[in-house]
Every structure is written in structure tokens, then in C-alpha cells.
Amino acid sequence: RRIGRVHRALEAGRDVPPAPVAHPGLGPPVAADRLLFTLDPQGHLNNAKFVTFFEQGRIHYIKHLGLFKEGQSFMDIGVILADVHIAYKKPVEWGTPVKVGVRTLKVGNKSMTVEQTVVHAETEELYAIGEVVMVAYDYHAGKSIPIPQEWRDAVHKLEGI
């Protein structure tokens, strides 16, 4: 997994380029500095807020793929979060402009694994990198479902996988 490779490289003192902040066809990444920052007692962005930033990035990504349209019910999108892993690399100080990137790493039978980053909006310095597993889910039936072909086609068109 990339997180493990990045973590080991950073521990060894090697430079690691961040994951692409946004796929070239994705357009501008989500500017997370528009969100209300929640600070921890040390004056840093609270670690839980990274999960919120990741969520906002995924919603932007799903919209860009054309899988979620304005006015559509979230219950009809058919995706649920199954797993989140985040490696925090550097604290985000109050007022730091950040942006969130998303790219799909793998499309399985019922799940997709995406890589996400939080980076400085201007320098692209890496603050956090994570992997998220999303499962195709039928909210009305209350069960996971196979990844729809429409999703596979949209991801393949954008990511080439």
C-alpha cells in the first residue's frame, strides 16, 4: 500500500512526492480552506477534520465522474464508507490554505479504493495521505451490491483503470 511505502520513506528521511492532488481531467481540487477549521488545544487543525476534508473531496470527485447530480438523493447514489486510513505528516496551522486530492487506485467487485491527500494549496507540501474504501450499497435494501458498470466506465475514462 502506498501509505506504508510513504510512511517508511519518510521515516528513513527520504523525500516522497505527494500523490497527485487532482487528476488532470478533474479540474481544480476542492479548496478545503473554505471549510470551518476545528482546532485542537495545540492550535492545529483537529485530526478528525481531515476525515471531513476527505469526504468533501470524494463528493467533488463523484460529482465530477457524473455519478451524483444536483437534486439527486444521496440514498440513490449507492456508496457507503467502509474503511479509512490516514497518515498524518505535518500539522496544519490556522489560516493555512489547503486542498484535497482524490484518485481511484482500485475498483473491485463491490468496493473501490481511493487515495486522498491534504496538501498546502500553493506549495503542495503534504500534510496527510490516506486510503479510503467505498462500498457500493443499496440503502433501500440495506446491503452491498456489485459496482455498477456506469461507475466502472466513469472511473476508467478518468483514471484509465
Side-chain angles (χ1 to χ4, degrees):
R1 300 175 75 172
R2 180 172 163 81
I3 293 174
R5 291 190 308 272
V6 168
H7 194 294
R8 286 188 299 278
L10 290 171
E11 283 180 341
R14 295 190 310 265
D15 289 332
V16 177
V21 174
H23 189 282
L26 185 58
V30 175
D33 57 342
R34 289 181 285 159
L35 295 174
L36 176 63
F37 273 28
T38 303
L39 301 180
D40 61 21
Q42 294 78 27
H44 305 134
L45 176 67
N46 184 282
N47 65 337
K49 204 62 175 173
F50 285 84
V51 177
T52 302
F53 287 175
F54 278 11
E55 178 183 40
Q56 186 182 35
R58 284 191 311 277
I59 290 170
H60 177 76
Y61 182 76
I62 290 169
K63 281 182 173 181
H64 182 76
L65 289 173
L67 303 176
F68 179 61
K69 292 140 184 95
E70 295 300 324
Q72 183 179 9
S73 168
F74 189 80
M75 299 292 282
D76 295 330
I77 297 172
V79 66
I80 193 167
L81 190 68
D83 195 30
V84 178
H85 292 275
I86 302 174
Y88 302 97
K89 301 303 176 187
K90 184 177 178 182
V92 176
E93 305 288 339
W94 170 256
T96 302
V98 296
K99 58 187 178 181
V100 180
V102 182
R103 70 175 174 179
T104 300
L105 298 176
K106 176 186 170 195
V107 178
N109 293 327
K110 293 185 176 185
S111 66
M112 293 172 46
T113 303
V114 298
E115 180 178 62
Q116 297 198 248
T117 57
V118 174
V119 300
H120 191 284
E122 296 155 3
T123 67
E124 296 197 2
E125 180 178 15
L126 181 65
Y127 291 113
I129 184 168
E131 284 187 11
V132 175
V133 176
M134 300 183 301
V135 173
Y137 194 79
D138 183 332
Y139 282 91
H140 303 289
K143 65 180 184 175
S144 62
I145 58 173
I147 298 277
Q149 189 61 45
E150 177 187 15
W151 293 18
R152 293 176 186 283
D153 294 344
V155 169
H156 178 73
K157 182 178 178 183
L158 181 65
E159 306 283 6
I161 61 170

